[in-house]
Amino acid sequence: TSITSAKIQVNGVHLHYQQTGEGSHAVLLLPGMLGSGQTDFGPQLKSMNKQLFTVVAWDPRGYGKSIPPSRDFPPDFFERDAKDAVDLMQALKFKKFSLLGWSDGGITALIAAAKYPNLIHKLVVWGANASVTQEDVRIYNGIRDVSKWSEKVKKPLEELYGHKYFAETCEAWVDGISRFAENSDGNICQQLLPDIKCPTFIIHGEKDPLVPQAHAEYIHKHIKGSRLLLMPEGKHNLHLRFAKDFNREVENFLR
């Protein structure tokens, strides 16, 4: 089945999304920092079961092809993304859907599942965190300067954004997410986790250099009945690096 790309107006912005498959189970893919459907979910858009699922990958406002507006990071940017994501799926006429959230998209998915429980069928998150520690801030500052990124990771983003927007948005993200460390317990959405009632699957790469494993364990502990899978060789982008295993695990959980 082909992958269609389109834009739809949601909450005053034109959000870009890609869609594929004709299954009765709708699934929204939520990308990470600076991410888009195109850069973050190639193997999922290509290979997830198109008979079982209708797969939608979105570009949050200010990311991918959902520009304008330029991306900014007010204190509630995760809540804003969660509302945009849910409203996008409703605008596309999906009554109920599952969320697959990576990294920042995982945080957005946690918030959406807690705040809109009647709309969310199942939840999968990986590389996500519900709080920001001083150690996390140190890690974020390590990726602040995009000129130090590996060519492989940098190239698709430079092609998508141009160097200036890419570099400036990354710096703004580091500042924006680091601000959570000033909250008590570094809280982003810890208080919302007990409100998540849908079946939840947390995946974590044991070699993730960006998100320490304690974050995955915390989320697992505070979402009742959730399941945690640790991938010994997985890094932050385990869904790309081990796409076949990842897709199989996720499809089995979603069935």
Side-chain angles (χ1 to χ4, degrees):
T1 334
S2 62
I3 299 170
T4 58
S5 294
K7 279 189 165 186
I8 189 165
Q9 189 165 349
V10 176
N11 299 328
V13 295
H14 289 89
L15 294 175
H16 177 264
Y17 67 94
Q18 291 168 285
Q19 185 173 327
T20 186
E22 58 267 339
S24 58
H25 189 154
V27 176
L28 177 65
L29 308 176
L30 298 94
M33 173 263 274
L34 279 162
S36 65
Q38 176 196 332
T39 54
D40 287 12
F41 295 117
Q44 283 69 47
L45 285 163
K46 185 166 165 256
S47 304
M48 276 185 76
N49 187 316
K50 317 256 165 138
Q51 279 67 54
L52 289 179
F53 305 108
T54 296
V55 181
V56 179
W58 80 309
D59 299 359
R61 63 169 74 199
Y63 284 163
K65 293 178 181 164
S66 296
I67 304 172
S70 290
R71 181 70 184 187
D72 62 349
F73 299 94
D76 66 342
F77 74 89
F78 284 118
E79 279 83 4
R80 182 181 67 182
D81 282 350
K83 183 169 169 39
D84 282 348
V86 165
D87 291 351
L88 166 78
M89 290 301 275
Q90 294 203 288
L92 295 175
K93 305 281 187 271
F94 295 111
K95 288 187 173 60
K96 205 166 180 172
F97 44 92
S98 292
L99 300 175
L100 269 65
W102 177 38
S103 199
D104 269 19
I107 301 172
T108 302
L110 291 168
I111 293 169
K115 288 193 160 181
Y116 309 97
N118 301 335
L119 301 174
I120 310 307
H121 184 39
K122 292 185 177 183
L123 172 66
V124 182
V125 296
W126 65 105
N129 46 299
S131 64
V132 175
T133 66
Q134 289 305 324
E135 166 67 2
D136 295 328
V137 172
R138 192 186 64 73
I139 294 169
Y140 301 148
N141 277 305
I143 62 165
R144 178 187 287 275
D145 179 359
V146 298
S147 69
K148 294 181 179 150
W149 288 26
S150 79
E151 213 36 58
K152 194 177 163 207
V153 178
K154 194 165 61 175
K155 195 165 179 262
L157 292 167
E158 285 197 324
E159 283 170 4
L160 181 61
Y161 293 116
H163 179 76
K164 185 171 184 283
Y165 188 91
F166 168 44
E168 287 173 358
T169 307
C170 182
E171 287 207 22
W173 175 83
V174 172
D175 292 339
I177 195 146
S178 296
R179 276 199 299 270
F180 289 104
E182 295 158 19
N183 295 346
S184 91
D185 291 337
N187 181 46
I188 302 175
C189 61
Q190 291 169 317
Q191 76 291 354
L192 293 175
L193 300 181
D195 296 342
I196 296 174
K197 304 293 186 234
C198 65
T200 300
F201 186 20
I202 302 137
I203 305 174
H204 192 76
E206 292 188 35
K207 293 183 175 173
D208 189 332
L210 288 174
V211 180
Q213 192 170 310
H215 285 301
E217 288 166 354
Y218 182 94
I219 294 168
H220 173 47
K221 188 178 161 192
H222 290 88
I223 299 178
K224 206 177 164 193
S226 64
R227 183 180 151 212
L228 174 63
L229 171 69
L230 298 176
M231 293 178 69
E233 294 302 312
K235 292 188 180 175
H236 196 57
N237 65 346
L238 55 86
H239 66 297
L240 301 176
R241 175 82 200 285
F242 301 104
K244 213 171 157 183
D245 295 343
F246 174 87
N247 288 0
R248 185 185 64 242
E249 289 285 351
V250 167
E251 287 186 5
N252 287 340
F253 171 74
L254 292 175
R255 279 171 197 267

